[in-house]
Amino acid sequence: MGSIKLFGGIEGGGTKFNCIVGTSPDDIRREERFPTTTPDATLDKAIRFFQQAEADFGRLSALGIACFGPLDPLPASPTFGFILPTTKPHWSNFNVVGKMKSAFDIPIAFDTDVNGAAFGEWTWGAAVGLDIFIYLTIGTGIGGGGLVNGKLTHGLSHPEMGHIRIPHDTQRDPFEGVCPFHKDCFEGLASGPAIEKRWGQKGETLPPEHPAWDLEAHYIALALSNFILTLSPQRIIIGGGVSGQKFLFPQIRVQVKETLNKYVQSSAVGENIDKYIVPPALGNRSGVLGAIALAQSA
Ligand code: ADP
Ligand code: ZN
């Protein structure tokens, strides 16, 4: 017995943690979600979940953690596995991998939530077979990750695509932005909290015909155009709460075409753009399944 290797995955979000045990999207043995509180209390819950799963299903071979950042994803670094200084209370400089390692002496992979989701989509979803692509989340924050030639994007640290500067026409949109570091960067203008603060209500409750959405598509299209021109990705996957407004996708595609103005010579950003800017094929499970994929590669 025991020829099938079991893996644990954690998707660590700013508001909730999602833990699963399994081997693939078709073989999820157990799954649990709970709110993100302090690091010790939250990870103790995760530890208890995996200990119970091991008691029921057998030992885990490895653990993958796809977490909110900023964090240190570089295995050779002395602070590998740590959350880096963050405005999120209690989490700055917390050693996430160290805490999990104290309970499970198995290989542990650690990366950003978006690199994890990208890895999930590359393994089982909308990015299978691609050499270079981007996974973007638009939710409480905005973040981007991806793979280049089969490797997750790591360099100085990890990409921070949510904090690029995009043109901000203050005549059209006088809102000053919500980013604590840059005010009106992409995240500052287009994240869920930016929508809520600008319009006085949550994105979930704004009707499709509200002017919020034309502006939102405009900002997303400007950012995507910059990513397309910089990296030449073969696909862009957009997840996160705000992308739950599915009517945004056609609007974003039209505005990306307008912004690029036929400069990039590829049908992917022309007549085939419907297959180029897409929602995650794994739905809201890209992150947690990505954590399983990270564990498999650990
Ligand atoms: P998190 O970023 O914590 O992982 P989400 O991706 O769900 O969680 O992002 C939450 C943010 O997205 C909130 O600001 C919320 O108002 C917004 N949001 C969630 N669902 C929707 C929706 N269907 N339409 C528009 N905005 C949404
Ligand atoms: Zn910023």
Side-chain angles (χ1 to χ4, degrees):
M1 63 164 281
S3 63
I4 294 178
K5 284 189 169 180
L6 261 191
F7 299 94
I10 300 178
E11 179 186 29
T15 54
K16 57 194 177 308
F17 262 56
N18 193 1
C19 298
I20 67 173
V21 167
T23 63
S24 73
D26 305 322
D27 178 28
I28 297 170
R29 306 290 175 88
R30 185 169 291 167
E31 188 166 7
E32 190 176 311
R33 275 168 198 262
F34 42 86
T36 308
T37 56
T38 62
D40 272 312
T42 310
L43 293 174
D44 281 337
K45 270 203 164 153
I47 288 168
R48 280 196 295 278
F49 168 81
F50 290 117
Q51 282 171 339
Q52 188 58 50
E54 283 201 323
D56 296 342
F57 307 118
R59 302 309 292 248
L60 299 176
S61 296
L63 194 60
I65 306 173
C67 192
F68 68 86
L71 52 74
D72 186 343
L74 305 175
S77 160
T79 52
F80 167 71
F82 285 59
I83 303 290
L84 298 178
T86 167
T87 49
K88 192 167 174 53
H90 313 296
W91 285 81
S92 289
N93 304 311
F94 190 87
N95 184 356
V96 172
V97 170
K99 169 100 185 171
M100 296 310 292
K101 198 93 185 169
S102 69
F104 302 96
D105 191 16
I106 54 179
I108 300 181
F110 184 66
D111 218 311
T112 59
D113 44 7
V114 279
N115 263 351
F119 203 41
E121 290 290 326
W122 188 71
T123 309
W124 295 297
V128 171
L130 300 185
D131 296 320
I132 177 166
F133 73 97
I134 289 171
Y135 180 99
L136 197 70
T137 184
I138 306 177
T140 307
I142 298 183
L147 280 90
V148 179
N149 297 333
K151 292 181 80 172
L152 284 157
T153 47
H154 292 156
L156 299 176
S157 176
H158 52 76
E160 285 285 8
M161 299 184 198
H163 295 268
I164 64 166
R165 313 311 295 250
I166 49 176
H168 178 196
D169 177 351
T170 53
Q171 297 273 305
R172 177 179 178 188
D173 175 27
F175 181 62
E176 79 272 14
V178 296
C179 176
F181 294 91
H182 319 111
K183 291 231 179 212
D184 62 350
C185 66
F186 180 28
E187 177 174 299
L189 290 172
S191 61
I195 295 171
E196 181 174 356
K197 190 154 182 220
R198 180 188 290 108
W199 303 105
Q201 62 189 99
K202 284 185 182 294
E204 292 93 315
T205 64
L206 290 167
E209 63 279 7
H210 194 282
W213 299 118
D214 187 51
L215 188 66
E216 183 68 11
H218 170 68
Y219 287 139
I220 296 170
L222 286 171
L224 295 196
S225 299
N226 287 339
F227 300 146
I228 292 165
L229 294 166
T230 306
L231 291 171
S232 206
Q234 294 160 315
R235 188 160 295 145
I236 298 178
I237 303 167
I238 310 178
V242 174
S243 72
Q245 304 287 353
K246 288 295 172 258
F247 58 80
L248 270 176
F249 281 83
Q251 298 183 22
I252 294 165
R253 293 176 188 129
V254 166
Q255 297 203 42
V256 165
K257 279 186 175 176
E258 280 172 15
T259 306
L260 294 177
N261 197 23
K262 300 196 168 80
Y263 183 70
V264 176
Q265 301 286 318
S266 169
S267 60
V269 287
E271 71 255 35
N272 294 328
I273 200 162
D274 289 0
K275 286 185 285 207
Y276 183 72
I277 297 169
V278 297
L282 302 175
N284 62 9
R285 278 217 176 109
S286 324
V288 76
L289 286 167
I292 292 282
L294 286 175
Q296 286 173 343
S297 73

